[in-house]
Amino acid sequence: MGRRPKDYLKNKIKRPKMKTILQAPKGMPDILPEENLLRRKIFKAVEDLGNFYGFGQIETPVLEETKLFLHGTGPTSEIVQKQMFILKTPGKDLLALRPEFTPNIVRAYLENGLYNNPKPVKLFAWGPVFRYEQPQRGRYRQFWQCNFEILGSADPIYDALTIQIFYNLFTELKMKELMIEINTIGCDNCRPIWHKNLKNYFRSKRKFLCADCKNRLKINPLRILDCKNESCQSLKNGAPKMIDFLCPECRKHFKQILEYLEILGLPYNINHHLVRGLDYYTKTVFEIRLASDNLALCGGGRYDYLVEMLGGKSTPAVGGAAGIERLVEVLKKNNFKVENPYKPKVFLIAIGDLAKQRALKYLEALRKVKIPVAESFAHESLKAQLRQADKWEAPYVIIIGQKEALDNTIILRDMKASSQEVVESEKMIEELKKRFKNDNIENI
Ligand code: ATP
Ligand code: MG
């Protein structure tokens, strides 16, 4: 006697079940298919720009030794002071989830001897970065950046080109009313004098500074200009400006960039308070934002000392990074239309077990000749599958019922003409191609 359903029930495995559904870590959103269609558009634009301007794509690990950022991003930067995710390995090494790309790219440039290539070396990258921030609009703990970096030239033409590339990225994505904020923060020759003047100025206003800035006053008064606190912000206007202390070389460099921007017809605003949050910048710093919003879409600048600081030969460099989520937000707001590029030309319907076997084989035959197909095999009835076919808007439907499966035929239905015909399965592809040609359906 065979087993009865009751016997099965008796032996059924009990699996442990979660009482609640788990959530992703705070500030680390999932990226769902619809949003990925938008993101793919962004990455495509990044890739096209990278190719056009002669950049090679680089990928670096998500984890790096913590000291890369302590040394590279800088000990007084907000990132290092407050925003790093640090992991201790079982071997007790300290690794940080990358909070940005530039030090990693410089590390890879040195480690892989990329400095042996003709200069400047142009690299682009994209991927997730991690910062321990309070999640809010445009601010996440895991977000993506795309980067463009140019290593090995001090020429201001590359500062202008970097800005142009980001500007182009945003205009390729149909963004309007963009504003470039630009400033210079000088070099090791002239910045210390500005530093001193800033320190004196803020010291005289100490009582109006927030607790963080009181601390910044001691370690790096430049950072005060970056503070988002209102009372500190209101002090900025009276603060000494770098432009009044520039050495002749930095002055010439800045002037040339502005001339290039004029020639390129790019809208810019010299923002004397722009210093940016990273310690390694020299000379140029810039951000691009929408005129109607304060959140920066991208930021960057020149970092002439970083390669040397990380153990290489003195190598001037310039680059920048854009936040993908901030771009997505603008695209959504602008109702930027993206269609799924995969449009099925055929919808495949199978009714019954034998028909499903045939359908799986036909699906592969169609894939081999690159005819895009959709299916909904989990729906058993013809009616339910036809409803799905309507949703996909495929111009042709192939129906395999019990009879067709046995006869090795298919029913080929022209959805537009509402006509159908029985075709030998061997001739399926030939017939489809013929019809596509008659209908002027491209690609085939
Ligand atoms: P902000 O001043 O807005 O904090 P930042 O100076 O810290 O920006 P960068 O280090 O220059 O930012 O990073 C480059 C770009 O990455 C920013 O212009 C922005 O588009 C994006 N970005 C920075 N932090 C976040 C974040 N927490 N979430 C999402 N995007 C971010
Ligand atoms: Mg920040």
Side-chain angles (χ1 to χ4, degrees), residues 222-234:
L222 235 87
R223 283 283 95 75
I224 302 175
L225 294 174
D226 218 11
C227 181
K228 307 220 159 62
N229 187 302
E230 237 172 70
S231 86
C232 304
Q233 287 227 352
S234 63

Side-chain angles (χ1 to χ4, degrees), residues 78-79 83 131 133 139 228 326:
E78 195 172 27
I79 288 183
Q83 299 182 339
R131 293 187 192 174
E133 300 209 64
R139 213 169 275 291
K228 307 220 159 62
R326 291 196 190 172

Side-chain angles (χ1 to χ4, degrees), residues 314-347:
S314 167
T315 309
V318 60
I324 304 300
E325 286 70 14
R326 291 196 190 172
L327 302 185
V328 168
E329 189 195 309
V330 179
L331 295 186
K332 281 186 181 163
K333 210 159 132 200
N334 292 352
N335 278 324
F336 188 88
K337 288 270 169 289
V338 269
E339 286 193 13
N340 191 336
Y342 187 83
K343 280 211 159 214
K345 297 195 168 67
V346 174
F347 192 90

Side-chain angles (χ1 to χ4, degrees), residues 265-427:
L266 296 177
Y268 69 86
N269 169 41
I270 301 176
N271 178 344
H272 298 292
H273 306 136
L274 185 69
V275 286
R276 306 208 8 84
L278 315 169
D279 281 359
Y280 48 67
Y281 285 122
T282 44
K283 294 194 169 85
T284 327
V285 286
F286 71 88
E287 284 184 353
I288 305 181
R289 59 179 177 81
L290 293 180
S292 56
D293 196 352
N294 272 334
L295 274 186
L297 299 175
C298 77
R302 179 160 278 286
Y303 47 97
D304 288 348
Y305 306 130
L306 184 59
V307 179
E308 201 175 358
M309 278 166 62
L310 293 177
K313 283 202 187 123
S314 167
T315 309
V318 60
I324 304 300
E325 286 70 14
R326 291 196 190 172
L327 302 185
V328 168
E329 189 195 309
V330 179
L331 295 186
K332 281 186 181 163
K333 210 159 132 200
N334 292 352
N335 278 324
F336 188 88
K337 288 270 169 289
V338 269
E339 286 193 13
N340 191 336
Y342 187 83
K343 280 211 159 214
K345 297 195 168 67
V346 174
F347 192 90
L348 198 51
I349 293 179
I351 301 141
D353 290 345
L354 187 59
K356 279 186 187 167
Q357 289 181 10
R358 299 271 190 271
L360 264 191
K361 280 187 72 178
Y362 300 161
L363 189 62
E364 289 313 298
L366 291 162
R367 187 185 63 78
K368 280 195 184 122
V369 293
K370 296 195 169 21
I371 295 179
V373 188
E375 53 74 28
S376 182
F377 296 143
H379 287 103
E380 296 291 336
S381 76
L382 174 64
K383 200 169 152 198
Q385 291 186 66
L386 276 172
R387 210 176 296 133
Q388 294 301 316
D390 272 343
K391 274 195 195 148
W392 281 98
E393 295 176 344
Y396 289 91
V397 171
I398 289 174
I399 303 168
I400 314 152
Q402 195 66 10
K403 180 174 183 321
E404 290 74 29
L406 286 168
D407 295 353
N408 274 322
T409 56
I410 57 157
I411 297 172
L412 180 54
R413 183 186 284 205
D414 180 334
M415 295 303 272
K416 207 163 147 208
S418 290
S419 62
Q420 64 184 44
E421 151 179 8
V422 176
V423 172
E424 277 174 43
S425 57
E426 269 176 16
K427 297 205 170 126

Side-chain angles (χ1 to χ4, degrees), residues 163-176:
I163 295 171
Q164 172 80 75
I165 291 171
F166 282 104
Y167 194 87
N168 285 347
L169 172 63
F170 307 148
T171 50
E172 284 291 314
L173 298 167
K174 312 262 181 301
M175 293 183 191
K176 292 198 180 91

